[in-house]
Amino acid sequence: MNNFRSGFGGSIPPVTLNIIIINVILWLAQIVFLRQGVSLTETLGLHYVESPGFRIYQLVTYMFLHDTGSFTHVFFNMFAVFMFGRTLEHVWGPRRFLTYYMVTGIGAGLVQILVAFFRIQSFKSGMSVEAIEEVYTQGYNLLQQNMNYINVAQGGLNIALNSVTVGASGAVFGILLAFGMLFPNAELFIIPFPFPIKAKWFVIGYGVFELIFGISNFSWDNVAHFAHLGGMLFGIFMILYWRKKNKAHGNYY
């Protein structure tokens, strides 16, 4: 039997608790450093592989950062980790839960890079070699100055090539997927619906919603919808692999 501390952390298993603490501390650090002229978002957030800002470690660090201009971004992500992650950690144990969280988060980042690749190719198909070269050589610095090209194609290419992605949402969607697969008939009360929704329908509906918005690619929408779906996709692979591997031992997950 595990003995957890009393108080706020009393009902939260260790990995879940530490994920929340690390994300909140880093979000506060982002704000403090930004006021000193240092952008942790730019350094640790995920860039496309051809961007001058890309570093391989960003596939891990990006999932522990959030939008400094929005408390709701970090709050709702960590609230979901608290609500669903602690249940998964109790079922799986700390090691398996941490492995799942990291794999789905990294997987979401890889899917985000793949989607960026296709968008970049789409923009480049209608542009001259000179215009493309200009974006590759000067575009990153323009965005650092909060500027971009007036030309729509060059501006779009620059955003796809040099924009930065942050957030735990990919791993969070992996957690939601796992909860829906392990407890498909658990009833959830989701605001603003006045009636309970079974976890399996909530996860399916949320996935469809993300797919629709990801395909639509609205100009005003800066949410990485395909990264969310990537977290779900890698989550499915992980759970199916574990089920197959542990079937002989009678494990239901």
Side-chain angles (χ1 to χ4, degrees):
M1 178 179 294
N2 291 325
N3 233 346
F4 297 111
R5 295 171 305 201
S6 59
F8 171 74
S11 62
I12 312 178
V15 172
T16 301
L17 180 60
N18 281 288
I19 286 173
I20 294 172
I21 291 173
I22 292 170
N23 275 271
V24 172
I25 288 176
L26 282 178
W27 181 71
L28 293 174
Q30 285 177 263
I31 296 174
V32 172
F33 274 79
L34 190 60
R35 290 175 178 174
Q36 303 302 317
V38 178
S39 175
L40 293 182
T41 300
E42 193 60 40
T43 304
L44 303 178
L46 181 61
H47 294 75
Y48 182 65
V49 292
E50 291 184 306
S51 170
F54 175 75
R55 303 292 183 273
I56 188 65
Y57 57 75
Q58 294 169 354
L59 280 166
V60 173
T61 56
Y62 91 97
M63 72 176 83
F64 295 98
L65 305 179
H66 288 83
D67 180 6
T68 56
S70 172
F71 174 70
T72 58
H73 189 206
V74 65
F75 173 79
F76 283 114
N77 272 345
M78 293 305 100
F79 183 70
V81 171
F82 168 75
M83 290 297 296
F84 302 104
R86 55 181 176 164
T87 301
L88 296 179
E89 186 173 351
H90 281 309
V91 172
W92 281 338
R95 180 177 297 179
R96 178 161 287 194
F97 175 65
L98 178 60
T99 299
Y100 181 84
Y101 187 88
M102 296 302 295
V103 168
T104 53
I106 293 172
L110 292 173
V111 170
Q112 178 68 8
I113 288 174
L114 180 63
V115 170
F117 168 79
F118 287 114
R119 287 178 175 166
I120 288 169
Q121 300 311 308
S122 176
F123 281 115
K124 288 168 64 174
S125 64
M127 296 173 59
S128 67
V129 175
E130 293 77 12
I132 294 172
E133 182 65 24
E134 182 180 350
V135 174
Y136 271 80
T137 56
Q138 302 177 22
Y140 180 79
N141 290 330
L142 276 179
L143 289 184
Q144 299 308 298
Q145 303 170 50
N146 294 316
M147 299 170 62
N148 201 1
Y149 295 98
I150 298 176
N151 180 275
V152 175
Q154 281 187 300
L157 175 60
N158 198 23
I159 292 295
L161 180 67
N162 291 310
S163 61
V164 60
T165 300
V166 296
S169 300
V172 167
F173 271 76
I175 288 177
L176 294 178
L177 182 280
F179 188 88
M181 290 184 71
L182 268 63
F183 308 101
N185 294 316
E187 294 187 334
L188 307 174
F189 284 90
I190 309 297
I191 298 174
F193 302 108
F195 50 83
I197 302 174
K198 288 188 176 181
K200 59 184 177 183
W201 300 124
F202 171 70
V203 170
I204 291 173
Y206 217 153
V208 170
F209 171 86
E210 292 295 323
L211 180 61
I212 291 173
F213 271 75
I215 293 174
S216 299
N217 193 27
F218 296 114
S219 59
W220 47 264
D221 185 6
N222 65 348
V223 176
H225 296 287
F226 283 108
H228 299 172
L229 292 171
M232 286 184 156
L233 181 64
F234 274 76
I236 291 174
F237 290 154
M238 289 286 291
I239 293 172
L240 293 180
Y241 169 74
W242 283 337
R243 282 181 174 177
K244 181 178 180 180
K245 182 180 177 182
N246 297 318
K247 187 176 181 181
H249 302 285
N251 293 333
Y252 63 87
Y253 53 82

